[in-house]
Amino acid sequence: MHELSIAHSLVESAVDAAEKAGARRVTRVLLRLGALSGVVRNALEFGYEITTKGTLLEGSELVIEELPVIVDCDVCHTQSTLDGLQTFACPACGAPGPRMIQGRELELQSIEIDVDEVAFGGDAVAEAPHALPTP
Ligand SMILES: [Zn+2]
């Protein structure tokens, strides 16, 4: 299942970015996925859930933006969105083999992180009153 290894490198990049940003937790991960990326969405979501366990990304939401295939035709110079992938031809003039300019994307677009807990000093502050000696 190659989605598992894709999920693994996706999680690795996101953890890396989160650590650099000083995040305590990642809440959302936004991914751009082209229709011809060759990735099965459900399998990727499943792999994501497994590989995020025990990382900063555990419990975060994977938001996938699906990108349609856009082609550019050399014959009539029209850019069009392909509705289906059964026929790979220019929808405007029918010429075969238009150039694909979008559709193979597999990109980590952005991550949303939670850094609030750091600002409040974490557990040490919350526990201080209980540490006072009682007479
Ligand atoms: Zn055309």
Side-chain angles (χ1 to χ4, degrees):
M1 183 168 125
H2 91 138
E3 278 78 7
L4 196 59
S5 65
I6 291 169
H8 188 76
S9 54
L10 169 70
V11 167
E12 231 169 31
S13 321
V15 166
D16 209 46
E19 279 174 352
K20 280 190 184 124
R24 288 282 290 263
R25 204 167 73 85
V26 174
T27 50
R28 290 173 93 191
V29 172
L30 281 78
L31 182 73
R32 288 157 60 89
L33 194 63
L36 287 182
S37 62
V39 172
V40 179
R41 185 183 172 143
N42 288 349
L44 182 62
E45 285 169 338
F46 179 69
Y48 183 83
E49 217 178 300
I50 295 171
T51 48
T52 51
K53 288 228 162 70
T55 73
L56 287 175
L57 276 72
E58 185 165 358
S60 66
E61 186 191 357
L62 177 64
V63 181
I64 297 176
E65 183 193 350
E66 290 188 29
L67 304 173
V69 177
I70 297 178
V71 292
D72 187 41
C73 178
D74 283 335
V75 178
C76 69
H77 304 286
T78 307
Q79 277 190 14
S80 344
T81 303
L82 290 190
D83 295 329
L85 304 172
Q86 287 81 10
T87 50
F88 198 72
C90 171
C93 72
R99 264 180 309 124
M100 198 195 311
I101 55 175
Q102 179 186 281
R104 289 202 195 279
E105 288 79 2
L106 176 62
E107 300 169 356
L108 178 61
Q109 192 185 19
S110 64
I111 59 172
E112 289 178 20
I113 58 174
D114 192 352
V115 288
D116 287 351
E117 293 166 64
V118 176
F120 292 109
D123 295 338
V125 173
E127 278 170 21
H130 304 290
L132 292 174
T134 41

